[in-house]
Amino acid sequence: MYLKNLSLVCKLYRLIITPLKCFHTNSHHIPAFQLLPFLQSSSIALNLHQGKQVHAQLILNGITTANPLLLAMYLRVGSFTDAKNLYYRMDLGCIKRWNLMIRGLVKMGSFHFALMFYFKLLGCGVSPDNFTFPSVVKACSALNNVRCGTLIHELIMLMGFEVNVFVGSSLINLYVENGYTSLARNLFDKLPVRDCVLWNVMLNGYVKLAELDKAIEIFEEMRKGDTKPNEVTFAAILSVCGSDGMVNFGTQLHGLVVSCGLDSNSVVANTLLSMYSKCGWLSDGRKLFDMIPQADLVSWNGMISGYVQNGFMEDALCLFSEMISSGVKPDSITLSSFLPAVTGLGSLRKGREIHGYILRHGIPLDVFLKSALLDVYLKCRAVDTARNIYNQSTKFDIVMCTAMISGYVLNGLSNDALEIFRWLLKEKIRPNAVTLASVLPACTDLAAIQMGKELHASVIKNGLADRCHVGSAVIDMYAKCGRLDLAHCVFRRLTERDSICWNSMITSCSQNGKPEEAINLFRQMGRTGTKYDCVSISAALSASANLPALHFGKEIHGFMIKSSLFSDLFAESALIDMYAKCGNLDLAQHVFDMMELKNEVSWNSIIAAYGNHGHLKDCLALFDKMLKNKIQPDHVTFLAIISACGHAGKVNDGVHHFKSMVEEYGIPPRMEHYACMVDLLGRAGRLDEAFKAIQSMPFSPDAGVWGTLLGACRNQGNVELAEVASRHLFYLDPQNSGYYVLLSNLLADAGHWRSVLKVRSLMKERGVQKVPGYSWIEVNNTTHMFVAADGSHPQSKHIYSLLKTLLLELKREGYVPQLYLRMNPKERVS
């Protein structure tokens, strides 16, 4: 008997598992008691064709086809049509049939149909039970339909199923996943039995919504009860410590992990590693990493990412090489995390090696990896390679497009950046906050304030005006386009201001000739409790240099020594610049010599310091040292050198370095380089060459370039070329009184008095007010400012008395005063 039954089972198994080449309806009938167990068993993997063969065999055996096991089979193989046809031939008054259908549809992912059958159930007058609601609520959760879920919740309460563990758990999961943690918590507190899974659902809900205090509170409440935390619990609570920098609490949790025997669990170990990395405790993170018996790919990714995020690029590079040597193959996440280290080191060669590795090993280029590659090439100035990768892409998303926009702006290709942004809008890809913050500097570079205003309107329309990094980009755009008033307005309207916002406003004031306002903002920033960073310090030092206020700069220097900012390369470079501009070149050199590490910004600062003081020989010697130290020069380096050549009157040297910048180093000249070349040629009296340089510019010259030419014409007495320059200036910057005064004085020197009167009339017609020039001197840590014929100083009588005495002494020594301008009997512009 046993052998006979075994034979029948084997026959049926072959029938189910392998499709029959020939199936005859008059074949051997297999008893029902052998067929039905196969339908009941979920371990037997059937497809639809095999399932229908079983169905046919049941018919041959005379078994009713309206069998729940057949229904379950059709639902399991995903055939909704067959399940529905079979279902309507069953007894619809039985709740078990409804539950089976609803549960099957939910497992199939047919959530709308599951809800439709639930409402049909109610329409048929069948009362749902505690097995119905978990599946129905799960369908609501999958559709993010909280409103429907709350209606079902009301019926659950009426029927008394709210405190059922399975029903209550499904409702809590619905509320948590959709952000309704308060409703979830109310229900959670009512449940008599709460297992670890339920605690974890609540904990993860709070973590997801960044309600960190409540997450810690519910974790501590869980610890007070009898429920023991598992790896999911620790992964959630440790992520809280990482995001909020709570390293002390994190180390306590580490001890608890060890006591619970979960320290060898890979999920917990990787979360601990992430926590230490995010909190900056990399030495502890590395110790933990080395203690992991068999580090998996996630562990390697976490450690590499930790090094990169904390700026330890060399360590990231070494660990990546160690990972390859150990036989662990990196994936797209590894490479996306590692490539910023290549960018930070500025190693184009290494970037190409990684790109080659990706292609050789067939690692899929997802959008994040492709964006990381674009970032490497663009920041290493391999723009053409980045453009090729971008153009060869078949799929584009906002991350890739944003990477290209920011890269183009970084390389001075603002028009290309705007082209991609326009394409985004055309393709109806919605720009995010990062995209808008990246494209706004393109408007700044092109001085396209109207387009900047349109982008600002888009920012407000999309509800992104309160985002700090977006607000900072808007402030920077308005300030650099000469509208400091609008920048102030945007800054005042920000509801929250982080260090980036303050830094942007301080820098804007400093760069727009408002150093006093910059210093006042710096003080206000400290009073609000916002922490200073290297950018804040650099901006304040720049304002001190522009004022100049050596005493304030020294105070900041003292603050830097006391804090950890003294070792910051950018802050130290700003300190060099401040001392140099305040006339103390020795202190500038001392700061440079004391720096342990030097980058291109540090070298640029000291080169510019010597150049501005007229020490061209020292300036060029420093440039040679910079190259010997394998520091790649950038556009700022050459700007400093060309400017130094101009101050020293070495025109040929300046022209040589301009050509070298373009031809040898591949750095495209910017607006300020052309302005510098015009100044260089103008000082030497080579005005025709200066004008040709302007005409050869690949973009429209701004007021700074034409103003430099006008100044050179004033010094050389070239009226004809000055009038050409002034026409452009009066169009580009019609309210700048300095240009009118320069032209007027030049015309007066040439004796063109009628033209002088025309310029003066134009000023009155346009309502241009002459801004008086002033000079200043610092005595006993106090800056004293003066204008011509100034009587506002409290010691003005004593000052004028001393000046009169000095003038008499000069005349006795043979000094004869020379008039700055030729005199006109009727008019004089001074």
Side-chain angles (χ1 to χ4, degrees):
M1 183 66 182
Y2 172 77
L3 291 174
K4 185 179 178 182
N5 287 344
L6 183 62
S7 174
L8 288 170
V9 170
C10 290
K11 284 181 184 178
L12 182 58
Y13 184 79
R14 284 194 296 270
L15 174 70
I16 294 170
I17 299 305
T18 55
L20 293 175
K21 291 180 181 177
C22 242
F23 181 73
H24 302 286
T25 54
N26 60 350
S27 63
H28 182 69
H29 285 198
I30 301 173
F33 71 87
Q34 295 290 346
L35 283 167
L36 295 178
F38 279 88
L39 292 174
Q40 284 178 307
S41 175
S42 59
S43 62
I44 302 292
L46 296 175
N47 59 34
L48 180 60
H49 178 65
Q50 293 164 349
K52 285 189 175 182
Q53 286 180 324
V54 174
H55 193 169
Q57 193 69 21
L58 285 170
I59 294 170
L60 286 173
N61 281 273
I63 299 172
T64 175
T65 57
N67 193 295
L69 295 176
L70 267 176
L71 177 63
M73 180 273 295
Y74 279 123
L75 288 169
R76 195 160 72 242
V77 299
S79 178
F80 172 67
T81 305
D82 290 303
K84 182 185 68 173
N85 293 337
L86 182 63
Y87 179 76
Y88 285 122
R89 293 202 296 271
M90 292 183 173
D91 176 17
L92 299 183
C94 178
I95 185 59
K96 290 182 180 180
R97 308 287 184 270
W98 290 98
N99 289 348
L100 181 63
M101 191 68 182
I102 292 168
R103 185 166 59 250
L105 289 169
V106 169
K107 285 181 179 179
M108 285 169 57
S110 302
F111 305 113
H112 285 102
F113 284 114
L115 289 177
M116 184 182 74
F117 268 86
Y118 168 72
F119 288 115
K120 279 188 175 183
L121 174 154
L122 297 178
C124 290
V126 180
S127 180
D129 61 9
N130 59 314
F131 295 104
T132 313
F133 290 115
S135 299
V136 175
V137 173
K138 189 176 181 180
C140 294
S141 184
L143 296 170
N144 297 320
N145 194 337
V146 182
R147 186 180 176 186
C148 182
T150 53
L151 291 173
I152 293 167
H153 189 178
E154 289 177 9
L155 182 59
I156 289 169
M157 284 192 293
L158 286 171
M159 297 184 72
F161 291 130
E162 190 182 35
V163 292
N164 179 279
V165 174
F166 299 103
V167 177
S169 299
S170 63
L171 282 168
I172 289 169
N173 197 61
L174 164 71
Y175 291 136
V176 164
E177 286 188 0
N178 289 279
Y180 293 85
T181 50
S182 57
L183 290 175
R185 185 59 196 264
N186 290 337
L187 182 55
F188 178 81
D189 291 336
K190 291 178 184 178
L191 292 179
V193 179
R194 294 173 288 192
D195 61 3
C196 190
V197 174
L198 207 52
W199 284 99
N200 290 342
V201 168
M202 281 303 305
L203 179 57
N204 277 302
Y206 285 130
V207 172
K208 185 180 176 182
L209 293 175
E211 296 179 1
L212 306 184
D213 292 338
K214 291 183 179 179
I216 294 169
E217 180 187 324
I218 201 164
F219 173 76
E220 290 174 347
E221 192 179 330
M222 177 185 182
R223 289 277 296 136
K224 290 174 185 176
D226 298 327
T227 309
K228 188 178 179 181
N230 62 9
E231 65 270 18
V232 179
T233 316
F234 283 115
I237 196 65
L238 283 167
S239 68
V240 172
C241 302
S243 61
D244 208 32
M246 300 167 63
V247 70
N248 292 328
F249 185 50
T251 53
Q252 292 174 25
L253 287 171
H254 192 171
L256 185 59
V257 165
V258 174
S259 67
C260 290
L262 292 170
D263 50 318
S264 59
N265 183 282
S266 60
V267 175
V268 178
N270 291 330
T271 313
L272 275 167
L273 191 61
S274 174
M275 184 272 294
Y276 282 123
S277 298
K278 287 179 180 178
C279 293
W281 285 37
L282 284 178
S283 58
D284 293 81
R286 185 55 195 261
K287 286 176 187 175
L288 176 64
F289 176 78
D290 293 335
M291 287 169 65
I292 298 173
Q294 288 185 332
D296 59 8
L297 186 59
V298 179
S299 307
W300 286 98
N301 291 352
M303 197 66 236
I304 290 169
S305 177
Y307 277 132
V308 172
Q309 288 169 4
N310 287 274
F312 295 94
M313 306 306 181
E314 293 284 357
D315 295 286
L317 189 61
C318 292
L319 189 63
F320 181 77
S321 301
E322 190 181 326
M323 177 184 179
I324 300 293
S325 303
S326 66
V328 179
K329 290 185 178 181
D331 62 0
S332 59
I333 297 172
T334 317
L335 295 164
S336 299
S337 303
F338 172 67
L339 279 169
V342 179
T343 307
L345 293 169
S347 176
L348 179 60
R349 183 184 62 82
K350 193 68 182 176
R352 292 190 191 280
E353 287 177 8
I354 299 297
H355 193 179
Y357 182 91
I358 291 167
L359 297 175
R360 285 196 308 274
H361 290 81
I363 296 171
L365 272 170
D366 58 31
V367 290
F368 297 104
L369 183 53
K370 198 171 283 188
S371 299
L373 270 174
L374 290 173
D375 191 55
V376 170
Y377 284 122
L378 289 165
K379 286 183 178 173
C380 291
R381 303 190 185 284
V383 179
D384 290 337
T385 308
R387 189 183 281 118
N388 289 337
I389 293 170
Y390 180 79
N391 290 337
Q392 287 169 12
S393 302
T394 53
K395 291 182 180 179
F396 299 90
D397 75 336
I398 195 64
V399 178
M400 274 182 61
C401 294
T402 302
M404 283 302 294
I405 288 169
S406 60
Y408 276 143
V409 171
L410 181 69
N411 286 276
L413 303 171
S414 298
N415 282 316
D416 294 306
L418 289 173
E419 279 300 314
I420 290 183
F421 186 75
R422 290 190 187 101
W423 179 85
L424 272 178
L425 300 179
K426 184 182 176 182
E427 294 295 314
K428 296 181 180 179
I429 300 174
R430 187 177 179 181
N432 59 23
V434 181
T435 315
L436 291 166
S438 300
V439 77
L440 279 163
C443 302
T444 303
D445 288 345
L446 298 171
I449 191 167
Q450 188 57 42
M451 187 175 291
K453 286 181 176 179
E454 291 173 8
L455 285 172
H456 187 192
S458 178
V459 166
I460 295 168
K461 185 179 177 181
N462 287 292
L464 301 170
D466 285 332
R467 299 281 182 92
C468 288
H469 59 287
V470 180
S472 300
V474 174
I475 289 167
D476 191 60
M477 181 272 296
Y478 280 130
K480 287 183 177 174
C481 288
R483 293 300 305 272
L484 195 61
D485 55 329
L486 292 177
H488 267 296
C489 184
V490 173
F491 179 74
R492 284 193 297 269
R493 287 180 179 176
L494 289 173
T495 53
E496 291 184 12
R497 299 170 191 160
D498 61 1
S499 59
I500 298 171
C501 298
W502 283 101
N503 293 345
S504 184
M505 199 65 234
I506 292 166
T507 305
S508 297
C509 290
S510 180
Q511 292 175 348
N512 281 273
K514 302 286 184 183
E516 300 95 335
E517 286 186 31
I519 290 170
N520 288 335
L521 282 166
F522 181 76
R523 289 183 174 126
Q524 286 177 36
M525 179 180 176
R527 285 196 290 268
T528 60
T530 309
K531 288 184 179 180
Y532 295 127
D533 57 15
C534 58
V535 181
S536 322
I537 297 294
S538 301
L541 285 169
S542 177
S544 303
N546 294 336
L547 196 55
L550 183 60
H551 68 285
F552 190 68
K554 285 183 174 180
E555 288 174 9
I556 296 172
H557 190 176
F559 175 79
M560 288 170 63
I561 293 170
K562 290 178 183 178
S563 65
S564 60
L565 293 168
F566 187 67
S567 58
D568 183 84
L569 286 170
F570 296 98
E572 287 179 303
S573 301
L575 195 60
I576 293 168
D577 186 61
M578 185 275 296
Y579 278 127
K581 286 182 178 176
C582 288
N584 201 324
L585 196 56
D586 292 336
L587 277 176
Q589 181 67 56
H590 176 71
V591 172
F592 181 77
D593 293 338
M594 292 293 289
M595 292 176 71
E596 293 180 7
L597 297 171
K598 300 178 179 74
N599 63 358
E600 70 276 8
V601 179
S602 319
W603 284 97
N604 290 347
S605 297
I606 196 68
I607 288 168
Y610 278 98
N612 292 334
H613 280 256
H615 302 303
L616 179 61
K617 188 177 178 182
D618 295 315
C619 178
L620 294 176
L622 283 164
F623 179 63
D624 290 335
K625 281 185 182 179
M626 178 182 181
L627 296 177
K628 286 176 184 176
N629 280 276
K630 297 181 180 180
I631 303 293
Q632 192 76 0
D634 59 10
H635 68 281
V636 180
T637 318
F638 286 101
L639 186 66
I641 291 170
I642 297 166
S643 177
C645 293
H647 288 306
K650 300 290 184 180
V651 181
N652 293 334
D653 288 343
V655 172
H656 165 73
H657 285 291
F658 182 84
K659 289 180 178 178
S660 172
M661 175 184 76
V662 179
E663 295 170 7
E664 290 182 38
Y665 294 93
I667 301 171
R670 301 188 180 192
M671 192 76 75
E672 53 266 30
H673 294 107
Y674 283 104
C676 220
M677 286 300 296
V678 171
D679 181 61
L680 176 78
L681 296 165
R683 284 172 185 263
R686 293 156 66 168
L687 292 177
D688 289 339
E689 291 179 57
F691 186 53
K692 285 178 183 177
I694 293 175
Q695 290 177 316
S696 70
M697 288 172 65
F699 38 77
S700 299
D702 66 358
V705 175
W706 287 114
T708 304
L709 181 64
L710 180 60
C713 293
R714 168 75 175 86
N715 294 331
Q716 302 299 326
N718 190 324
V719 176
E720 184 180 350
L721 201 53
E723 287 179 337
V724 173
S726 62
R727 280 198 294 272
H728 289 281
L729 287 165
F730 296 162
Y731 171 74
L732 291 169
D733 195 2
Q735 294 301 309
N736 191 323
S737 63
Y739 301 137
Y740 294 92
V741 174
L742 264 177
L743 179 63
S744 180
N745 290 344
L746 173 59
L747 293 170
D749 278 347
H752 297 177
W753 298 108
R754 288 186 180 178
S755 298
V756 172
L757 290 173
K758 285 181 181 178
V759 174
R760 293 293 296 272
S761 299
L762 184 62
M763 285 182 72
K764 289 179 182 177
E765 183 183 317
R766 293 183 174 181
V768 180
Q769 297 292 322
K770 182 184 173 186
V771 179
Y774 60 86
S775 57
W776 61 86
I777 186 170
E778 187 176 339
V779 181
N780 296 328
N781 295 335
T782 304
T783 303
H784 303 267
M785 300 176 70
F786 303 94
V787 295
D790 191 0
S792 61
H793 195 277
Q795 293 179 292
S796 57
K797 288 183 180 180
H798 180 65
I799 292 168
Y800 281 115
S801 174
L802 186 60
L803 282 172
K804 188 176 180 182
T805 304
L806 288 170
L807 189 58
L808 289 172
E809 291 292 329
L810 286 167
K811 286 179 178 179
R812 287 195 192 103
E813 295 295 326
Y815 170 72
V816 178
Q818 292 184 350
L819 294 174
Y820 178 63
L821 294 171
R822 291 182 58 191
M823 297 297 293
N824 178 12
K826 296 181 180 179
E827 294 276 349
R828 178 174 182 260
V829 178
S830 57

Short mmCIF file of all heavy atoms in Angstrom, two decimals, residues 517-550:
data_model
loop_
_atom_site.label_atom_id
_atom_site.label_comp_id
_atom_site.label_asym_id
_atom_site.label_seq_id
_atom_site.Cartn_x
_atom_site.Cartn_y
_atom_site.Cartn_z
N GLU A 517 29.92 97.48 7.96
CA GLU A 517 28.72 96.65 8.10
C GLU A 517 29.09 95.17 8.25
O GLU A 517 28.46 94.43 9.01
CB GLU A 517 27.81 96.83 6.88
CG GLU A 517 27.07 98.15 6.84
CD GLU A 517 26.07 98.21 5.69
OE1 GLU A 517 25.53 97.15 5.32
OE2 GLU A 517 25.84 99.31 5.17
N ALA A 518 30.12 94.75 7.51
CA ALA A 518 30.57 93.36 7.58
C ALA A 518 31.04 93.02 9.00
O ALA A 518 30.68 91.97 9.55
CB ALA A 518 31.70 93.11 6.58
N ILE A 519 31.80 93.91 9.59
CA ILE A 519 32.32 93.67 10.94
C ILE A 519 31.17 93.67 11.96
O ILE A 519 31.14 92.85 12.89
CB ILE A 519 33.40 94.70 11.30
CG1 ILE A 519 34.66 94.42 10.47
CG2 ILE A 519 33.75 94.65 12.79
CD1 ILE A 519 35.71 95.49 10.54
N ASN A 520 30.22 94.58 11.77
CA ASN A 520 29.04 94.61 12.68
C ASN A 520 28.24 93.32 12.58
O ASN A 520 27.77 92.78 13.60
CB ASN A 520 28.15 95.81 12.34
CG ASN A 520 28.77 97.13 12.77
OD1 ASN A 520 29.60 97.16 13.70
ND2 ASN A 520 28.40 98.22 12.12
N LEU A 521 28.05 92.82 11.35
CA LEU A 521 27.33 91.55 11.16
C LEU A 521 28.09 90.39 11.79
O LEU A 521 27.49 89.47 12.36
CB LEU A 521 27.13 91.28 9.66
CG LEU A 521 26.00 92.05 8.98
CD1 LEU A 521 26.14 91.96 7.46
CD2 LEU A 521 24.64 91.52 9.41
N PHE A 522 29.42 90.45 11.70
CA PHE A 522 30.25 89.41 12.31
C PHE A 522 30.03 89.37 13.82
O PHE A 522 29.91 88.30 14.42
CB PHE A 522 31.72 89.68 11.99
CG PHE A 522 32.68 88.66 12.53
CD1 PHE A 522 32.81 87.42 11.94
CD2 PHE A 522 33.45 88.94 13.65
CE1 PHE A 522 33.71 86.47 12.44
CE2 PHE A 522 34.34 88.01 14.16
CZ PHE A 522 34.46 86.77 13.55
N ARG A 523 29.94 90.54 14.42
CA ARG A 523 29.69 90.62 15.87
C ARG A 523 28.27 90.12 16.20
O ARG A 523 28.06 89.41 17.19
CB ARG A 523 29.87 92.06 16.35
CG ARG A 523 31.34 92.51 16.34
CD ARG A 523 31.47 93.91 16.89
NE ARG A 523 32.86 94.31 17.02
CZ ARG A 523 33.38 95.42 16.50
NH1 ARG A 523 32.61 96.25 15.81
NH2 ARG A 523 34.64 95.72 16.68
N GLN A 524 27.28 90.51 15.37
CA GLN A 524 25.90 90.06 15.59
C GLN A 524 25.81 88.54 15.49
O GLN A 524 25.09 87.89 16.28
CB GLN A 524 24.97 90.69 14.55
CG GLN A 524 24.67 92.16 14.77
CD GLN A 524 23.81 92.72 13.64
OE1 GLN A 524 22.95 92.04 13.11
NE2 GLN A 524 24.07 93.96 13.26
N MET A 525 26.53 87.98 14.55
CA MET A 525 26.54 86.53 14.37
C MET A 525 26.99 85.83 15.65
O MET A 525 26.38 84.84 16.09
CB MET A 525 27.49 86.17 13.21
CG MET A 525 27.61 84.68 12.94
SD MET A 525 28.76 84.38 11.56
CE MET A 525 28.80 82.59 11.56
N GLY A 526 28.02 86.34 16.26
CA GLY A 526 28.51 85.78 17.52
C GLY A 526 27.50 85.91 18.64
O GLY A 526 27.32 84.99 19.45
N ARG A 527 26.78 87.06 18.67
CA ARG A 527 25.80 87.29 19.74
C ARG A 527 24.59 86.36 19.61
O ARG A 527 23.94 86.04 20.62
CB ARG A 527 25.34 88.76 19.73
CG ARG A 527 26.38 89.73 20.30
CD ARG A 527 25.75 91.07 20.63
NE ARG A 527 25.37 91.81 19.44
CZ ARG A 527 26.15 92.69 18.81
NH1 ARG A 527 27.38 92.92 19.27
NH2 ARG A 527 25.73 93.33 17.74
N THR A 528 24.26 85.94 18.38
CA THR A 528 23.11 85.03 18.19
C THR A 528 23.46 83.59 18.56
O THR A 528 22.58 82.74 18.57
CB THR A 528 22.62 85.07 16.73
OG1 THR A 528 23.69 84.64 15.88
CG2 THR A 528 22.13 86.45 16.33
N GLY A 529 24.71 83.33 18.84
CA GLY A 529 25.11 81.98 19.22
C GLY A 529 25.50 81.10 18.04
O GLY A 529 25.83 79.93 18.23
N THR A 530 25.47 81.67 16.83
CA THR A 530 25.89 80.91 15.65
C THR A 530 27.41 80.74 15.68
O THR A 530 28.13 81.71 15.88
CB THR A 530 25.48 81.62 14.35
OG1 THR A 530 24.09 81.94 14.41
CG2 THR A 530 25.75 80.75 13.14
N LYS A 531 27.85 79.52 15.49
CA LYS A 531 29.29 79.26 15.59
C LYS A 531 30.03 79.80 14.37
O LYS A 531 29.59 79.65 13.24
CB LYS A 531 29.54 77.75 15.72
CG LYS A 531 29.14 77.19 17.06
CD LYS A 531 29.50 75.71 17.15
CE LYS A 531 29.12 75.14 18.51
NZ LYS A 531 29.45 73.70 18.62
N TYR A 532 31.18 80.45 14.65
CA TYR A 532 32.04 80.90 13.57
C TYR A 532 32.72 79.69 12.93
O TYR A 532 33.06 78.73 13.60
CB TYR A 532 33.13 81.84 14.10
CG TYR A 532 32.62 83.15 14.66
CD1 TYR A 532 32.98 83.56 15.94
CD2 TYR A 532 31.82 83.98 13.90
CE1 TYR A 532 32.53 84.76 16.47
CE2 TYR A 532 31.36 85.18 14.41
CZ TYR A 532 31.71 85.57 15.70
OH TYR A 532 31.26 86.76 16.20
N ASP A 533 32.92 79.77 11.62
CA ASP A 533 33.72 78.76 10.94
C ASP A 533 34.81 79.46 10.13
O ASP A 533 34.98 80.68 10.23
CB ASP A 533 32.86 77.86 10.05
CG ASP A 533 32.07 78.64 9.01
OD1 ASP A 533 32.39 79.82 8.77
OD2 ASP A 533 31.12 78.08 8.43
N CYS A 534 35.54 78.68 9.34
CA CYS A 534 36.65 79.28 8.60
C CYS A 534 36.19 80.35 7.62
O CYS A 534 36.90 81.34 7.39
CB CYS A 534 37.42 78.18 7.86
SG CYS A 534 36.43 77.21 6.71
N VAL A 535 34.98 80.20 7.07
CA VAL A 535 34.45 81.19 6.12
C VAL A 535 34.12 82.50 6.85
O VAL A 535 34.40 83.60 6.35
CB VAL A 535 33.22 80.65 5.38
CG1 VAL A 535 32.69 81.67 4.38
CG2 VAL A 535 33.55 79.34 4.68
N SER A 536 33.51 82.39 8.03
CA SER A 536 33.20 83.57 8.84
C SER A 536 34.47 84.35 9.15
O SER A 536 34.53 85.58 9.00
CB SER A 536 32.53 83.18 10.16
OG SER A 536 31.65 82.12 10.02
N ILE A 537 35.49 83.63 9.61
CA ILE A 537 36.77 84.24 9.96
C ILE A 537 37.40 84.90 8.74
O ILE A 537 37.87 86.04 8.80
CB ILE A 537 37.73 83.18 10.56
CG1 ILE A 537 37.16 82.60 11.86
CG2 ILE A 537 39.11 83.75 10.78
CD1 ILE A 537 37.05 83.58 13.00
N SER A 538 37.39 84.19 7.61
CA SER A 538 37.98 84.73 6.38
C SER A 538 37.27 86.00 5.94
O SER A 538 37.92 86.98 5.53
CB SER A 538 37.91 83.68 5.26
OG SER A 538 38.57 82.50 5.63
N ALA A 539 35.93 86.00 6.01
CA ALA A 539 35.15 87.19 5.61
C ALA A 539 35.44 88.37 6.53
O ALA A 539 35.59 89.51 6.06
CB ALA A 539 33.66 86.85 5.62
N ALA A 540 35.52 88.13 7.84
CA ALA A 540 35.80 89.20 8.80
C ALA A 540 37.22 89.74 8.61
O ALA A 540 37.45 90.96 8.70
CB ALA A 540 35.61 88.69 10.22
N LEU A 541 38.17 88.87 8.32
CA LEU A 541 39.55 89.31 8.06
C LEU A 541 39.62 90.13 6.79
O LEU A 541 40.38 91.12 6.71
CB LEU A 541 40.48 88.09 7.96
CG LEU A 541 40.83 87.40 9.29
CD1 LEU A 541 41.51 86.07 9.03
CD2 LEU A 541 41.70 88.29 10.16
N SER A 542 38.85 89.73 5.79
CA SER A 542 38.80 90.50 4.54
C SER A 542 38.25 91.90 4.78
O SER A 542 38.75 92.88 4.24
CB SER A 542 37.94 89.74 3.53
OG SER A 542 37.79 90.48 2.34
N ALA A 543 37.19 91.99 5.64
CA ALA A 543 36.63 93.30 5.98
C ALA A 543 37.65 94.14 6.73
O ALA A 543 37.78 95.35 6.49
CB ALA A 543 35.38 93.11 6.83
N SER A 544 38.41 93.52 7.63
CA SER A 544 39.46 94.23 8.38
C SER A 544 40.52 94.76 7.43
O SER A 544 41.05 95.87 7.61
CB SER A 544 40.11 93.29 9.40
OG SER A 544 39.16 92.76 10.28
N ALA A 545 40.84 93.96 6.40
CA ALA A 545 41.84 94.39 5.42
C ALA A 545 41.33 95.55 4.57
O ALA A 545 42.09 96.46 4.23
CB ALA A 545 42.21 93.21 4.53
N ASN A 546 40.04 95.52 4.24
CA ASN A 546 39.46 96.58 3.39
C ASN A 546 39.23 97.88 4.14
O ASN A 546 39.15 98.94 3.54
CB ASN A 546 38.14 96.09 2.79
CG ASN A 546 38.33 94.95 1.82
OD1 ASN A 546 39.40 94.78 1.25
ND2 ASN A 546 37.32 94.13 1.64
N LEU A 547 39.12 97.82 5.47
CA LEU A 547 38.81 99.05 6.22
C LEU A 547 39.96 100.05 6.22
O LEU A 547 39.67 101.23 5.94
CB LEU A 547 38.39 98.68 7.64
CG LEU A 547 37.68 99.77 8.44
CD1 LEU A 547 36.47 100.30 7.72
CD2 LEU A 547 37.27 99.21 9.80
N PRO A 548 41.23 99.85 6.43
CA PRO A 548 41.75 98.68 7.11
C PRO A 548 41.70 98.87 8.62
O PRO A 548 41.74 100.01 9.09
CB PRO A 548 43.20 98.62 6.63
CG PRO A 548 43.58 100.04 6.44
CD PRO A 548 42.33 100.79 6.07
N ALA A 549 41.61 97.77 9.33
CA ALA A 549 41.56 97.82 10.79
C ALA A 549 42.47 96.73 11.32
O ALA A 549 42.05 95.61 11.56
CB ALA A 549 40.13 97.63 11.28
N LEU A 550 43.76 97.07 11.45
CA LEU A 550 44.75 96.09 11.87
C LEU A 550 44.46 95.54 13.26
O LEU A 550 44.63 94.35 13.51
CB LEU A 550 46.15 96.72 11.84
CG LEU A 550 47.32 95.80 12.19
CD1 LEU A 550 47.40 94.63 11.23
CD2 LEU A 550 48.64 96.58 12.20
#
